[in-house]
Amino acid sequence: MSVVVVWTGRHRLHEPGGEVWVGVRTPGTELPERAERIRAELAGARIVEAREQPDSALLAVHDGALLDYLSRAWSDWQAAGLDRDPGQDRVVPYIFSHPGLFSAGVAPVDPAAASARAGRFAYDTMTLIGPGTWEAARAAAEAAITAADLVLAGEPAAYACVRPPGHHATRGAFGGSCYLNNAAAAAARLRSGGAGRVAVLDIDAHHGNGTQAIFYEDREVLVGSVHVDPAAGWFPHFLGLAGETGAAAGAGANRNLPLAPGSGDEPWLDGVRLLSEWAAAGGAEALVVALGVDAAGGDPQSPLEVTAAGFRAAGRTLGELGLPTVLVQEGGYDLDTLGPLVREVLEGVEEGLA
Ligand SMILES: [Zn+2]
């Protein structure tokens, strides 16, 4: 395989310790083994270590307040003794600065209590913070940016084999197992490195709400997503519908293609083709693929039914755009098929680019 793979072992520092879903601590599926399985599948590929990046590379897509919070959330939690009393070994929010709390002109204050602070930045209870979460999340973003640098330096395609995933993280909030938006950071680097217009195409089974939010008013970053219909009862539930098409200068630069639960190769690949044609017609000069493989039939996290052949065909379609291409790992939770499905997409991209 000729696609260069960017890797960081620092992902292992993030042990989510499960999720709190409907108030119950469950084992969760965003496990360190995910990245290890993919890496093992790609053992013969060229591997490049993720390079450290300055804060400015993260500030291109995130608020400083979010970065500051994430960098000290765990130490604040520990300093407040919450890991001993009541004995919660991960940062879990309990109150949220919901917009309905505030009258016009009243802004949320930074809460004094560590137990409350998470609710200023988290939008769900499933995205827990432990001792190594910040370092791992930062390493994932740095890997995606490194992949962008490799493509800017002339690699036809580079794949960032990362976790935690990123496409649910917005400019100022985290959730959906995501802390920093890796794909958005890669797109920002492609832009600052000279690409006039960048397309981020998200083929994860779930809507890339974070990436959409970050670039919603930006006409130079086209954001397209094909995903299971949130209106049919799927994460992120509150948005991700076809009517969300961008705003202000970014009007028309966002595209959502929600699919019915149970959709398989044909409607899904139609979606990938439509997004690719849309990106080409929109003048994209570089491509970021938010590469989740949880649309697979056997994945426990989504009701889509895409096959291995479907993933390969999607890769080919994306490769046929002929653009410098950064692929960033998002979801995919069936440990036995995760690696092979990623390989199908990467080999498809190679075939398409050739
Ligand atoms: Zn997903």
Side-chain angles (χ1 to χ4, degrees):
M1 200 182 71
S2 66
V3 175
V4 60
V5 175
V6 182
W7 171 255
T8 170
R10 283 181 287 165
H11 82 85
R12 299 181 198 110
L13 297 167
H14 176 52
E15 285 271 9
E19 301 173 347
V20 175
W21 186 69
V22 298
V24 179
R25 186 95 170 240
T26 63
T29 52
E30 204 293 282
L31 306 170
E33 198 180 347
R34 295 178 58 247
E36 301 296 332
R37 290 283 188 112
I38 303 171
R39 165 86 199 249
E41 179 72 22
L42 304 178
R46 269 185 306 151
I47 307 279
V48 170
E49 276 293 317
R51 297 174 196 134
E52 282 188 36
Q53 302 292 333
D55 289 346
S56 58
L58 302 178
L59 287 165
V61 292
H62 289 295
D63 294 341
L66 173 66
L67 303 182
D68 183 54
Y69 172 71
L70 290 173
S71 69
R72 61 192 172 90
W74 174 249
S75 53
D76 279 8
W77 191 262
Q78 251 188 333
L82 292 159
D83 55 332
R84 299 182 296 282
D85 177 11
Q88 179 51 274
D89 68 354
R90 293 292 183 273
V91 176
V92 184
Y94 92 97
I95 180 172
F96 296 89
S97 61
H98 189 285
L101 275 173
F102 303 97
S103 312
V106 178
V109 299
D110 194 21
S115 58
R117 214 167 291 136
R120 205 186 134 192
F121 299 99
Y123 64 78
D124 66 29
T125 62
M126 307 193 315
T127 312
L128 310 187
I129 296 174
T133 298
W134 166 247
E135 199 178 340
R138 181 163 185 141
E142 290 176 339
I145 295 165
T146 301
D149 280 340
L150 289 167
V151 161
L152 286 166
E155 289 288 344
Y159 163 65
C161 182
V162 296
R163 63 171 286 280
H167 70 151
H168 296 307
T170 70
R171 211 168 265 281
F174 69 99
S177 301
C178 302
Y179 306 86
L180 298 174
N181 197 313
N182 310 315
R189 174 58 60 87
L190 290 172
R191 286 272 298 127
S192 66
R197 189 164 286 173
V198 177
V200 183
L201 301 185
D202 189 323
I203 63 170
D204 186 277
H206 304 97
H207 175 234
N209 61 293
T211 319
Q212 164 173 308
I214 287 168
F215 297 117
Y216 207 60
E217 299 188 359
D218 189 339
R219 58 185 293 224
E220 305 303 348
V221 182
L222 307 171
V223 177
S225 181
V226 56
H227 49 266
V228 63
D229 189 354
W234 293 88
F235 193 91
H237 299 284
F238 298 107
L239 74 171
L241 308 188
E244 298 155 24
T245 56
N254 193 82
R255 183 125 188 227
N256 287 327
L257 301 175
L259 299 178
S263 296
D265 284 358
E266 201 179 315
W268 187 73
L269 285 170
D270 281 348
V272 174
R273 261 188 298 275
L274 276 171
L275 292 179
S276 299
E277 287 162 12
W278 174 73
E285 296 172 11
L287 174 66
V288 176
V289 179
L291 172 54
V293 292
D294 45 3
D299 196 280
Q301 297 286 16
S302 103
L304 299 180
E305 300 287 343
V306 177
T307 68
F311 280 104
R312 194 178 193 96
R316 209 176 299 122
T317 296
L318 294 162
E320 281 167 358
L321 282 169
L323 298 173
T325 300
V326 175
L327 302 107
V328 181
Q329 187 63 41
E330 301 286 358
Y333 304 96
D334 178 37
L335 291 173
D336 290 334
T337 59
L338 176 57
L341 292 175
V342 169
R343 173 186 279 283
E344 294 287 354
V345 175
L346 298 180
E347 290 180 352
V349 167
E350 281 182 5
E351 289 167 12
L353 281 169

